[in-house]
Amino acid sequence: MALYVKAAEILEKSEMKQAALKTLVYESKFPNIKQLFALVCETEKFSSVLEEIIESTKLLKQAKLKMPLAKVLVYDLLIGRGLKCGGSWKTVMMKHRPRLQAALARLKVKQKVSKNEDLLPASVQKLSGIQLPRYARVNTLKTTVEDAVDYLKRDGFSYLGHASSLKDLTLRKKDFMIDMHLPELLVFSPKTDFHDHFLYTAGHFILQDKASCLPAYLLNPPVGSHLIDACAAPGNKTSHLAAIMKNKGRLFAFDLDAKRLATMSTLLLRAGVTCQRLANQDFLTVDPDSQEFKDVEYVLLDPSCSGSGMVCLRDDASSANQDKVQARLASLASFQLRCLNHGLKFPRLKRLVYSTCSVHRQENEDVVAACLQQNPGFSTAKTRTQGFFVALLEKHSGAGSPRPEPAVQRSKPEATPLGPSSCKKRPAASEEESGASETEEMKEVEEIEETEEKEMEETKEETPITAAGQADSTPGKKKRKRGKKKKKAAVE
């Protein structure tokens, strides 16, 4: 019984974006971690199928269950290896089993499939065999990359140097490398686990996907600067910003969820962050003209989104629930646009990074395009990775006054999966940003609809590009590349 309670709790937290599934599982201290992790992952994978079965049978009302708990119970009853509990729950589920089995059978007939796996959204089926590397960001507030590498080598890991291509990232157990783009990011084989490792428990490692590292890396706040992390919890990006600033300056971090903020406070304490000022407040209620924020020049905005870029949350463009999906995307895009417009109101703002873990154009390019129509004094810089979207907006010199607010442009979601990781060079600091690090060359990978193996081969042929979206210093000059296909999120 405890297994299902804990699994339901983790699924609910994951949906609220409190942390990654694996992190939530390992931090739960559940006696059988492997069993819990398998149940949570498989339930999440079949989430849309389970939800349709549960709603069609009205199980929540009749069994008096909440959706997360109903999902894990129905998964094990119908798809997994059978219920692993007794008592009242088993009695209730066995009572409803014939109706649930009938609903599953009807669903298979409707979709003309015979296997449970064939009910999964096409995007999930395609990704089910893909294993992405395990990434760990070295927390430079507590250690150095060199010391971390030495420690790992003494601990039995095999250091293979700096990665130079995607093929290098196909690693065996105990192998690791430094990422080809982010110098403080270490790459390990997919099943490497650090949740009980000293480097993680001591705060020397931050277990953070590569895509999640890009926003802070691109914002690149100089040492001693004042900046805002607008929707900050659970705090990995906040700790990254603090490391880039070397804990010098002022980092204002806002989040509306008190529980998420409390979790974030614990994470920042473990990471050795001291320059933060946390506030349990809606970013949209923050006054940009307040004296407290008069020196804010940088903003990182990672608002609530659909999470469609996450491998375990990819939705299906052909789903029967598209009306519901489109309505949710419209609501999210409206909220994201309000946040983005608000973030650009800080008087001394120089640079803002907008990011989502979505692959939907409505939440990415359309939001940024609508924002730039109202704020012509800013230009974009965008990078895409698997499952992430980042747009960097820089202020032009001689910027004019904002224009009337436009509506978010709607567009059909793209069903085509996105290609391998690509990121651009970290924006170069301006002359007054003397503390900023030098930029590093990044490779741009064009969006391709071929197989992953072919994409990896073609990546070698890409050419380095210059810093992404740098603003032109000539007053009034605006660079706009119409007609060129915009890029969207893709990898960890």
Side-chain angles (χ1 to χ4, degrees):
M1 191 174 291
L3 170 66
Y4 297 110
V5 172
K6 186 58 66 176
E9 178 185 318
I10 288 171
L11 284 174
E12 189 170 15
K13 288 181 177 180
S14 175
E15 289 174 0
M16 295 170 63
K17 293 182 68 178
Q18 289 193 14
L21 277 178
K22 191 167 186 177
T23 298
L24 290 169
V25 168
Y26 277 87
E27 290 184 348
S28 70
K29 304 300 180 183
F30 190 75
N32 193 333
I33 289 293
K34 290 184 178 180
Q35 183 188 39
L36 177 62
F37 186 57
L39 176 60
V40 168
C41 286
E42 288 300 303
T43 302
E44 187 63 67
K45 185 168 72 173
F46 281 91
S47 180
S48 61
V49 176
L50 295 169
E51 190 168 336
E52 188 169 346
I53 292 172
I54 290 167
E55 289 179 349
S56 68
T57 57
K58 299 181 180 179
L59 181 66
L60 298 184
K61 182 178 180 180
Q62 296 188 20
K64 296 181 180 179
L65 296 172
K66 291 185 177 180
M67 183 60 80
L69 180 56
K71 283 183 180 179
V72 294
L73 288 169
V74 172
Y75 170 79
D76 252 4
L77 180 68
L78 298 183
I79 303 172
R81 298 183 178 179
L83 288 174
K84 303 174 183 68
C85 66
S88 59
W89 281 359
K90 186 168 185 178
T91 302
V92 169
M93 295 307 295
M94 296 304 291
K95 175 183 176 181
H96 293 284
R97 183 168 67 170
R99 295 192 307 112
L100 293 168
Q101 288 176 329
L104 176 61
R106 286 194 299 270
L107 197 56
K108 289 180 179 178
V109 171
K110 180 182 176 181
Q111 297 192 20
K112 299 179 180 179
V113 300
S114 59
K115 298 179 181 179
N116 292 330
E117 289 73 15
D118 293 335
L119 291 171
L120 293 171
S123 55
V124 175
Q125 290 186 43
K126 182 169 183 178
L127 292 168
S128 60
I130 297 176
Q131 287 191 318
L132 299 173
R134 157 64 74 185
Y135 292 100
R137 176 172 59 82
V138 176
N139 179 15
T140 54
L141 294 177
K142 286 199 164 186
T143 188
T144 64
V145 174
E146 292 76 16
D147 286 348
V149 169
D150 287 343
Y151 188 98
L152 290 167
K153 287 161 67 176
R154 293 196 300 272
D155 199 31
F157 285 85
S158 178
Y159 176 53
L160 303 182
H162 286 72
S164 59
S165 70
L166 291 177
K167 274 193 170 181
D168 292 341
L169 302 186
T170 304
L171 301 170
R172 296 173 300 176
K173 188 177 181 180
K174 288 287 186 177
D175 288 348
F176 77 103
M177 308 186 76
I178 294 178
D179 182 70
M180 68 185 84
H181 300 132
L182 308 180
E184 293 157 5
L185 193 64
L186 302 184
V187 191
F188 301 83
S189 63
K191 295 184 179 180
T192 307
D193 178 30
F194 283 106
H195 286 86
D196 294 322
H197 196 279
F198 167 76
L199 291 176
Y200 172 71
T201 58
H204 293 194
F205 267 7
I206 307 294
L207 301 183
Q208 186 174 2
D209 294 339
K210 178 175 179 176
S212 181
C213 295
L214 288 173
Y217 180 82
L218 290 170
L219 187 61
N220 190 24
V223 175
S225 58
H226 286 209
L227 68 151
I228 286 175
D229 190 349
C231 306
N236 282 341
K237 297 181 189 68
T238 312
S239 68
H240 195 183
L241 289 168
I244 293 171
M245 296 165 58
K246 298 182 179 180
N247 251 345
K248 297 177 181 178
R250 195 165 295 176
L251 204 175
F252 300 97
F254 300 95
D255 203 276
L256 190 57
D257 191 310
K259 289 183 179 179
R260 282 164 53 89
L261 203 67
T263 301
M264 174 179 172
S265 180
T266 302
L267 183 150
L268 297 182
L269 179 65
R270 183 172 64 190
V273 176
T274 58
C275 63
Q276 81 278 19
R277 293 197 177 185
L278 305 186
N280 181 203
Q281 183 179 353
D282 183 351
F283 174 62
L284 290 171
T285 67
V286 175
D287 181 9
D289 295 318
S290 168
Q291 279 296 107
E292 187 177 12
F293 310 118
K294 64 182 178 62
D295 295 321
V296 168
E297 295 180 328
Y298 303 88
V299 171
L300 191 153
L301 174 62
D302 184 44
S304 297
C305 70
S306 65
S308 57
M310 306 292 287
V311 170
C312 59
L313 297 179
R314 295 251 172 128
D315 48 23
D316 184 14
S318 63
S319 170
N321 297 320
Q322 276 305 293
D323 288 344
K324 185 188 296 185
V325 171
Q326 291 298 321
R328 180 170 181 248
L329 288 178
S331 176
L332 285 168
S334 176
F335 166 73
Q336 292 154 354
L337 179 59
R338 291 200 308 274
C339 290
L340 188 50
N341 281 331
H342 189 68
L344 298 183
K345 291 179 181 177
F346 290 83
R348 295 192 62 185
L349 183 70
K350 292 180 179 177
R351 184 181 295 160
L352 179 149
V353 160
Y354 170 72
S355 65
T356 75
C357 51
S358 170
V359 294
H360 289 299
R361 185 182 183 91
Q362 293 99 310
E363 299 179 86
N364 298 330
E365 290 93 338
D366 289 354
V367 168
V368 173
C371 176
L372 291 179
Q373 288 180 31
Q374 184 184 352
N375 300 276
F378 289 83
S379 60
T380 58
K382 23 184 204 309
T383 182
R384 67 184 187 94
T385 70
Q386 193 175 54
F388 222 81
F389 173 90
V390 181
L392 188 151
L393 282 68
E394 290 190 321
K395 198 170 192 176
H396 290 296
S397 56
S401 58
R403 296 174 182 170
E405 181 174 350
V408 178
Q409 299 174 2
R410 295 293 303 276
S411 62
K412 295 182 180 179
E414 297 181 5
T416 305
L418 298 172
S421 69
S422 73
C423 56
K424 300 186 178 181
K425 195 173 177 183
R426 183 191 290 199
S430 58
E431 292 180 359
E432 61 268 31
E433 297 168 357
S434 58
S437 302
E438 293 182 359
T439 61
E440 291 191 6
E441 290 188 338
M442 297 294 186
K443 292 187 178 181
E444 180 180 18
V445 181
E446 297 297 331
E447 187 176 40
I448 305 170
E449 296 179 358
E450 301 294 333
T451 63
E452 184 183 7
E453 182 179 354
K454 184 175 179 181
E455 290 172 330
M456 289 183 177
E457 290 295 329
E458 294 193 0
T459 305
K460 293 182 178 180
E461 300 176 6
E462 298 293 338
T463 56
I465 58 171
T466 56
Q470 292 293 310
D472 196 302
S473 59
T474 306
K477 186 174 180 180
K478 306 184 184 87
K479 297 182 180 179
R480 297 182 183 272
K481 297 183 179 179
R482 303 180 188 274
K484 183 176 180 181
K485 188 172 183 180
K486 290 190 177 181
K487 300 189 176 102
K488 221 174 8 180
V491 203
E492 264 187 321

